[in-house]
Amino acid sequence: MEPVTAGAAEGDWRGWRAAAEAALYGPDGFYRRPEGPAGHFRTSVHASPLFAAAVARLLCRVDEALGRPAVLDFVDMAAGRGELVTGVLAALPADVAARARARAVDLAGRPAGLDHRIEWRTEPPDRITGLLFANEWLDNVPVEVVEVDSAGVPRLVLVRADGTERLGEPVSGAEAEWLARWWPLGAREGLRAEIGLPRDRAWAAAAGTLARGLAVAVDYAHTAGARPPFGTLTAFREGRETTPVPDGSCDLTAHVALDACATACALPGARLLPQREALRALGLSGARPPLALASTDPAGYVRALASAGEAAELTAPGGLGDFGWLVQPVGIADVLGG
């Protein structure tokens, strides 16, 4: 792609961050649609109720670490249609559920029929004591895309609503500093990266709402030393991966540099682990039930076998098990061990 001047970047051409912001969250954006994310792609929440049950167990551990406060906050970031927060409330023991204050955060309107106990918000509360859980939120925080030109210079990628791309101005300022620290590109023409600075700031702001408790971000991720050479920008429509086009017709997503997010909030104790380790620490193994159960309790065996299959999907290498978990305790010990 040939570079364009700043003047040529006006009009139909704009950076991927602005284009994705409008396509995803504008008045007619993808995430304003009534069907919600589940109509287009499948997350761990949609794969099995075991995921919400595991998050409920995590909330119970946070509750114990906090000394069982009178009010226990659970904040579900990018709540979609409230599937996770609904499942967590249903899986909590009665004594914990009685003290739980559930908040769902999403720009879409409150879904019809949502449990009256769930407060629906467009921003996280100012200060919480409990668990803030962000499942596949940061990958939808729009970021700039950059590409190395024929002279070895990283430039912003500009895009039109039909997905056509051109190169814009060289990367500069804080974005250039982030790129140099977290995703340095060589001089080879065509190398690409996504500048995760907006995600770092979004995570720092979300984790900063914790007075005491735990903040967790779950996403497809990469870390320094294993960055993909051509970036990860992609799209999903009706359950299938497709070409990213910022016209509001598809989900636009890019994997998250979770190691950069981990340092952004300037709090001690943050660590990264794969989803399979996190869920196993919360009691999901994916192990098949003993065959003897088939003789003594055939129906129970079938249920246990189905549950094991769902747990295996949530922890599978090459799939959902490869999601990264960024775990950030505030004022408590690491309740996932390690």
Side-chain angles (χ1 to χ4, degrees):
M1 291 187 289
E2 293 299 318
V4 296
T5 64
E10 298 173 358
D12 292 341
W13 297 99
R14 51 185 170 175
W16 265 106
R17 183 183 179 189
E21 185 74 34
L24 294 177
Y25 305 114
D28 299 315
F30 177 83
Y31 279 103
R32 304 285 188 174
R33 295 186 170 198
E35 73 269 19
H40 297 272
F41 56 88
R42 191 165 180 256
T43 71
S44 297
V45 178
H46 308 124
S48 171
L50 295 177
F51 188 80
V55 176
R57 287 194 291 275
L58 179 60
L59 180 58
C60 288
R61 292 189 185 184
V62 171
D63 182 43
E64 290 295 331
L66 291 169
R68 298 174 57 81
V71 176
L72 176 67
D73 291 310
F74 176 68
V75 178
D76 179 12
M77 296 293 297
R81 294 301 175 265
E83 298 96 335
L84 177 60
V85 64
T86 298
V88 168
L89 282 178
L92 288 175
D95 64 313
V96 180
R99 293 181 287 109
R101 179 167 57 187
R103 278 86 166 263
V105 181
D106 204 283
L107 292 178
R110 182 186 180 92
L114 190 70
D115 191 317
H116 71 277
R117 294 175 294 172
I118 300 170
E119 178 185 345
W120 196 264
R121 307 171 56 100
T122 57
E123 296 285 344
D126 292 335
R127 201 157 178 80
I128 69 171
T129 299
L131 173 63
L132 180 141
F133 201 89
N135 185 61
E136 296 197 51
W137 167 49
L138 291 174
D139 69 306
N140 290 127
V141 173
V143 292
E144 297 290 6
V145 177
V146 300
E147 182 175 319
V148 177
D149 68 11
S150 58
V153 177
R155 292 178 176 268
L156 293 175
V157 176
L158 307 179
V159 64
R160 292 194 302 203
D162 64 0
T164 304
E165 292 183 339
R166 297 189 72 173
L167 297 187
E169 297 293 329
V171 183
S172 61
E175 292 177 334
E177 293 173 5
W178 189 96
L179 194 66
R181 179 180 180 185
W182 292 109
W183 200 333
L185 293 169
R188 177 184 167 190
E189 184 179 5
L191 293 175
R192 287 169 69 116
E194 295 101 29
I195 298 178
L197 189 59
R199 294 168 173 179
D200 295 355
R201 291 169 174 167
W203 179 247
T209 65
L210 276 174
R212 291 179 66 219
L214 186 71
V216 178
V218 182
D219 251 305
Y220 272 127
H222 45 67
T223 55
R227 306 287 190 213
F230 302 106
T232 63
L233 179 67
T234 190
F236 290 90
R237 182 189 295 117
E238 297 177 355
R240 296 183 179 182
E241 191 168 8
T242 186
T243 302
V245 177
D247 62 358
S249 68
C250 56
D251 176 42
L252 300 170
T253 179
H255 295 191
V256 183
L258 275 183
D259 50 347
C261 295
T263 66
C265 57
L267 292 169
R271 70 181 179 106
L272 303 174
L273 69 162
Q275 174 156 297
R276 71 181 63 87
E277 290 184 17
L279 292 183
R280 285 170 182 164
L282 292 169
L284 267 68
S285 70
R288 293 172 64 93
L291 190 57
L293 184 63
S295 299
T296 60
D297 183 4
Y301 177 78
V302 171
R303 289 193 299 270
L305 193 62
S307 180
E310 292 176 5
E313 181 183 3
L314 290 171
T315 58
L320 296 175
D322 286 345
F323 270 68
W325 280 44
L326 167 54
V327 179
Q328 177 65 70
V330 177
I332 63 171
D334 185 346
V335 295
L336 279 174

